[in-house]
Structure formats: structure tokens, C-alpha cells
Amino acid sequence: MSGREYQICTNCVMDTTDSMITFDEKGVCDHCRGYYTDILPNWHTDERGWQVLQETVAKIKKEGDGKDFDCIMGVSGGIDSSYLTYIAKEKLGLRPLLFHVDGGWNSQIAVNNIEKLVDNLGLDLYTEVIDWEEMRDLQLAFFKSGVSHIDLPQDHAFFATMYNFAEKYNIKYILTGANISTECVRNPLEWFYYGTDTIQIRDIHKKFGQRPLKNFPLSNIFRHKVYLRYVKGIEVVTPLNYVPYHKEEAMQFLVDQFGWQKYPQKHFESRFTKFYEGYWLPEKFGFDTRKVQFSSLILTKQMTREEALEKLSKLSYDQNTIAQDFEYIATKLGISVAELQGYMDAPNKTVSDYKSQETLFNIGSKVMTAFGLEKRMAKR
Ligand SMILES: [Zn+2]
């Protein structure tokens, strides 16, 4: 950030807007190197991966014997969780309970897509609605704080709710659509901070929030990474990493099979995230998440670098509708357009301007890696 000369990776489209990025003598970035050395050699979507997945599936089925469902699965209406739903039910023969967290920002497309999957695949859907007044208050607090990671309240609510549900109903397996194919390049920490940092959430809420968080789901990292995983035995499974998963083909398949609807960009199934990733983050902070998404697709051979550069040369939001979107967000948050604009113009802050568990997370991650508890996946 300190006047570093602009540089873009010669292999993907990550660049110095990620201030921690490093390049080798050929101009290839550390995201790419991490992919080729740590991820690719251990990623198998052929028969080998299928066998590994089958072993897990057998355990899940055994655990679910005699129960109404054998696992839960978060669905957002986006491609990853939608395709996972299809794979889990039709290919793996699982009986998942679909779990949806309504944070108040669902797009109509998201709602339609979830309905289509539920109806066509004959699955049950459980929807948990987050206390809107608390969500609104916490999101506003994040806007006021000036940090870049204002999507953290939504992120946190989504996974905390799911873990809480799994614990309450003694469900051992959570399936997620997290995947290497479209997410092998991770968002730099300075763009997207850990959604699990409850210290940061509480500190920002304490300073800028106006009502107590009574119903908002909070789950600290120790509870779900250590207690729930190793004491309660809740396991998170990522089936998309063991089967071929090509984003465009998967979308077209869902469109043809279920009348699923495409949406313009990853994560745009939430109206808040669309505004945040498409407009707020690039305009206010210079962080364009498309670079991360396209770089992942370049590495996994689903997009060429030229295609990505061409797309990046265009704005990440629609100039004709952005004023409307801006007004929609302000109105929904219960503030004026001028007030929201005020937060846009206010000085940018970082994680370290508030209390956080960042140091602890870094140590924790090293320990987990050292003990082989967590596979290294493109983490710095
Ligand atoms: Zn690269």
C-alpha cells in the first residue's frame, strides 16, 4: 500500500491491490505458486477422489440410519451450494436437510433457485430468519467503522446459525459447497477478514451499534473449530472437491434440469453482497473480488487470462442502476442516501483499528497446520 509499483501476475490476474502479494523472477505470484505446489498435486476429481468421497458417504449414511436426514447443507441459491445439492441427492444418494439462513437480503433469483431445487429433488428445507433489527444494526455499525469487511455480519450469521443447528439436533455432518475449482485463490485477508472473529464483531458493535445483540447468532472460533469438531464430532465435508466441477457447465446443467436461474457474478445471490463486492469494495478500497474469482478459474482452466483481463476492463457494477442500488441499500438499512454516502467518503480503516483475534488466528492456523489438523489451502 505504501506507493509500491503496480504489478500484475503473468499467470493469473492478481495484482498489487493485494498488498501482501509476492512475485518470483518470472512474475508469477504466490497465489499461483501455492496452487501448483500445495493444491494441485493433492486434488483428485477422478476415480481416486470418488473413492475417498464414497468412504465419507458410507459414514454419513451409517450415522443417519433411522433418522429423518443424514446431514445438513447450507443453501444460498448460488451455484456452489445448488450444484452440491444435486450431487448430494442424486449422485451420492444422501438425504440432506437443506438449510437456509435468511439474512434479509435474498434476491428473487436466490429464492427461486432454492425453491426449484427443493421441488425438483424432493428435499426438505429449513429456513432460519435472522432478527432483522439486529442484523441491520450490526451492518450499520460495520459501515460506520470504516473497515472493508462489512460483509462479516452476514457471513458470521450464516455459519454460526448452521453450527448452532447441528449442535442442537446432534447432526454430525455439515456439507458445504466450498471448493477448489472456483475458489482456489483465496481473498487476501486485508480484503475479507475472518468471519469468525467475534472479538472484532463485538468491538465494532460496542462502538457503533445501537441495540443489544440478543438473538444474533454468534459462534467463536474455539467453539466451532475445536469444541464442536473434536468434542462433539461435527464434521464438515466438501464433496465438490472430489468430483469434476466446472462452473459454466454446472450452471447450464441446473438451468436445463431444474429451471435454475443464472446470476451475473459469484455471491450476487445476496443483494447486499452484490452491492458490497460489486461497488463498495472496489470503489472505496480498490479491492476487486473478480480478480480472485477469475484467477481461480484461470488456474483451474475454466477461463483464459485474456478473457479475465477483458472482463476486468469493465466496471464491476452497472452504471445505469447503481444509483438505484445505492438508494435501496440505504433505505433498507433505515438511513438516508446522504448518510450512506458519508460512510463511503469517510477514511478507510483496517482490522487493527479495532480489537481482534488476528494474532491468535495466525498462531492457531500455524498450530493446526503443524499438527496436520488443517490442510494447507492457499493460506499465507
Ligand atoms: Zn498469479
PDB file of all heavy atoms in Angstrom, residues 161-172:
ATOM      1  N   THR A 161     -25.256 -19.913  12.569  1.00  0.00           N
ATOM      2  CA  THR A 161     -26.595 -20.500  12.635  1.00  0.00           C
ATOM      3  C   THR A 161     -26.562 -21.985  12.301  1.00  0.00           C
ATOM      4  O   THR A 161     -27.195 -22.806  12.956  1.00  0.00           O
ATOM      5  CB  THR A 161     -27.541 -19.793  11.626  1.00  0.00           C
ATOM      6  OG1 THR A 161     -27.521 -18.401  11.895  1.00  0.00           O
ATOM      7  CG2 THR A 161     -28.958 -20.297  11.747  1.00  0.00           C
ATOM      8  N   MET A 162     -25.770 -22.322  11.297  1.00  0.00           N
ATOM      9  CA  MET A 162     -25.698 -23.710  10.877  1.00  0.00           C
ATOM     10  C   MET A 162     -25.035 -24.582  11.954  1.00  0.00           C
ATOM     11  O   MET A 162     -25.511 -25.674  12.258  1.00  0.00           O
ATOM     12  CB  MET A 162     -24.930 -23.820   9.567  1.00  0.00           C
ATOM     13  CG  MET A 162     -25.084 -25.170   8.962  1.00  0.00           C
ATOM     14  SD  MET A 162     -25.352 -25.056   7.217  1.00  0.00           S
ATOM     15  CE  MET A 162     -23.683 -25.090   6.690  1.00  0.00           C
ATOM     16  N   TYR A 163     -23.954 -24.086  12.520  1.00  0.00           N
ATOM     17  CA  TYR A 163     -23.296 -24.842  13.593  1.00  0.00           C
ATOM     18  C   TYR A 163     -24.226 -25.001  14.798  1.00  0.00           C
ATOM     19  O   TYR A 163     -24.288 -26.058  15.412  1.00  0.00           O
ATOM     20  CB  TYR A 163     -22.008 -24.143  14.029  1.00  0.00           C
ATOM     21  CG  TYR A 163     -20.802 -24.567  13.226  1.00  0.00           C
ATOM     22  CD1 TYR A 163     -20.234 -23.730  12.275  1.00  0.00           C
ATOM     23  CD2 TYR A 163     -20.225 -25.815  13.424  1.00  0.00           C
ATOM     24  CE1 TYR A 163     -19.121 -24.112  11.540  1.00  0.00           C
ATOM     25  CE2 TYR A 163     -19.107 -26.214  12.698  1.00  0.00           C
ATOM     26  CZ  TYR A 163     -18.560 -25.359  11.759  1.00  0.00           C
ATOM     27  OH  TYR A 163     -17.466 -25.756  11.042  1.00  0.00           O
ATOM     28  N   ASN A 164     -24.927 -23.920  15.142  1.00  0.00           N
ATOM     29  CA  ASN A 164     -25.848 -23.984  16.275  1.00  0.00           C
ATOM     30  C   ASN A 164     -26.913 -25.049  16.054  1.00  0.00           C
ATOM     31  O   ASN A 164     -27.253 -25.822  16.950  1.00  0.00           O
ATOM     32  CB  ASN A 164     -26.545 -22.630  16.491  1.00  0.00           C
ATOM     33  CG  ASN A 164     -25.562 -21.579  16.988  1.00  0.00           C
ATOM     34  OD1 ASN A 164     -24.455 -21.907  17.401  1.00  0.00           O
ATOM     35  ND2 ASN A 164     -25.959 -20.319  16.926  1.00  0.00           N
ATOM     36  N   PHE A 165     -27.421 -25.087  14.835  1.00  0.00           N
ATOM     37  CA  PHE A 165     -28.459 -26.049  14.485  1.00  0.00           C
ATOM     38  C   PHE A 165     -27.914 -27.475  14.579  1.00  0.00           C
ATOM     39  O   PHE A 165     -28.541 -28.362  15.149  1.00  0.00           O
ATOM     40  CB  PHE A 165     -28.959 -25.759  13.069  1.00  0.00           C
ATOM     41  CG  PHE A 165     -30.153 -26.572  12.659  1.00  0.00           C
ATOM     42  CD1 PHE A 165     -31.432 -26.130  12.931  1.00  0.00           C
ATOM     43  CD2 PHE A 165     -29.983 -27.785  11.991  1.00  0.00           C
ATOM     44  CE1 PHE A 165     -32.541 -26.883  12.540  1.00  0.00           C
ATOM     45  CE2 PHE A 165     -31.081 -28.542  11.612  1.00  0.00           C
ATOM     46  CZ  PHE A 165     -32.360 -28.088  11.878  1.00  0.00           C
ATOM     47  N   ALA A 166     -26.717 -27.670  14.016  1.00  0.00           N
ATOM     48  CA  ALA A 166     -26.100 -29.005  14.028  1.00  0.00           C
ATOM     49  C   ALA A 166     -25.898 -29.492  15.464  1.00  0.00           C
ATOM     50  O   ALA A 166     -26.157 -30.652  15.790  1.00  0.00           O
ATOM     51  CB  ALA A 166     -24.772 -28.979  13.282  1.00  0.00           C
ATOM     52  N   GLU A 167     -25.467 -28.582  16.322  1.00  0.00           N
ATOM     53  CA  GLU A 167     -25.230 -28.980  17.709  1.00  0.00           C
ATOM     54  C   GLU A 167     -26.547 -29.312  18.405  1.00  0.00           C
ATOM     55  O   GLU A 167     -26.684 -30.340  19.057  1.00  0.00           O
ATOM     56  CB  GLU A 167     -24.496 -27.862  18.469  1.00  0.00           C
ATOM     57  CG  GLU A 167     -24.092 -28.334  19.855  1.00  0.00           C
ATOM     58  CD  GLU A 167     -23.574 -27.225  20.749  1.00  0.00           C
ATOM     59  OE1 GLU A 167     -23.815 -26.035  20.438  1.00  0.00           O
ATOM     60  OE2 GLU A 167     -22.950 -27.547  21.770  1.00  0.00           O
ATOM     61  N   LYS A 168     -27.520 -28.429  18.229  1.00  0.00           N
ATOM     62  CA  LYS A 168     -28.810 -28.598  18.899  1.00  0.00           C
ATOM     63  C   LYS A 168     -29.477 -29.918  18.521  1.00  0.00           C
ATOM     64  O   LYS A 168     -30.036 -30.605  19.364  1.00  0.00           O
ATOM     65  CB  LYS A 168     -29.720 -27.425  18.525  1.00  0.00           C
ATOM     66  CG  LYS A 168     -31.009 -27.363  19.310  1.00  0.00           C
ATOM     67  CD  LYS A 168     -31.713 -26.035  19.074  1.00  0.00           C
ATOM     68  CE  LYS A 168     -33.116 -26.076  19.647  1.00  0.00           C
ATOM     69  NZ  LYS A 168     -33.910 -24.940  19.152  1.00  0.00           N
ATOM     70  N   TYR A 169     -29.421 -30.294  17.258  1.00  0.00           N
ATOM     71  CA  TYR A 169     -30.102 -31.504  16.810  1.00  0.00           C
ATOM     72  C   TYR A 169     -29.158 -32.682  16.619  1.00  0.00           C
ATOM     73  O   TYR A 169     -29.519 -33.683  15.995  1.00  0.00           O
ATOM     74  CB  TYR A 169     -30.896 -31.213  15.528  1.00  0.00           C
ATOM     75  CG  TYR A 169     -32.021 -30.251  15.812  1.00  0.00           C
ATOM     76  CD1 TYR A 169     -31.893 -28.899  15.482  1.00  0.00           C
ATOM     77  CD2 TYR A 169     -33.174 -30.677  16.474  1.00  0.00           C
ATOM     78  CE1 TYR A 169     -32.912 -28.004  15.783  1.00  0.00           C
ATOM     79  CE2 TYR A 169     -34.187 -29.790  16.777  1.00  0.00           C
ATOM     80  CZ  TYR A 169     -34.056 -28.455  16.423  1.00  0.00           C
ATOM     81  OH  TYR A 169     -35.052 -27.567  16.729  1.00  0.00           O
ATOM     82  N   ASN A 170     -27.946 -32.526  17.164  1.00  0.00           N
ATOM     83  CA  ASN A 170     -26.999 -33.634  17.169  1.00  0.00           C
ATOM     84  C   ASN A 170     -26.718 -34.189  15.771  1.00  0.00           C
ATOM     85  O   ASN A 170     -26.724 -35.388  15.543  1.00  0.00           O
ATOM     86  CB  ASN A 170     -27.546 -34.742  18.084  1.00  0.00           C
ATOM     87  CG  ASN A 170     -26.440 -35.657  18.548  1.00  0.00           C
ATOM     88  OD1 ASN A 170     -25.264 -35.254  18.553  1.00  0.00           O
ATOM     89  ND2 ASN A 170     -26.790 -36.870  18.907  1.00  0.00           N
ATOM     90  N   ILE A 171     -26.505 -33.275  14.835  1.00  0.00           N
ATOM     91  CA  ILE A 171     -26.193 -33.663  13.460  1.00  0.00           C
ATOM     92  C   ILE A 171     -24.677 -33.677  13.305  1.00  0.00           C
ATOM     93  O   ILE A 171     -24.003 -32.719  13.668  1.00  0.00           O
ATOM     94  CB  ILE A 171     -26.824 -32.669  12.460  1.00  0.00           C
ATOM     95  CG1 ILE A 171     -28.343 -32.729  12.593  1.00  0.00           C
ATOM     96  CG2 ILE A 171     -26.384 -32.974  11.032  1.00  0.00           C
ATOM     97  CD1 ILE A 171     -29.042 -31.518  12.079  1.00  0.00           C
ATOM     98  N   LYS A 172     -24.145 -34.774  12.784  1.00  0.00           N
ATOM     99  CA  LYS A 172     -22.688 -34.933  12.751  1.00  0.00           C
ATOM    100  C   LYS A 172     -22.035 -34.408  11.473  1.00  0.00           C
ATOM    101  O   LYS A 172     -20.839 -34.168  11.439  1.00  0.00           O
ATOM    102  CB  LYS A 172     -22.318 -36.412  12.913  1.00  0.00           C
ATOM    103  CG  LYS A 172     -22.724 -37.013  14.240  1.00  0.00           C
ATOM    104  CD  LYS A 172     -21.915 -36.423  15.393  1.00  0.00           C
ATOM    105  CE  LYS A 172     -22.326 -37.056  16.706  1.00  0.00           C
ATOM    106  NZ  LYS A 172     -22.146 -36.156  17.837  1.00  0.00           N
TER     107      LYS A 172
END
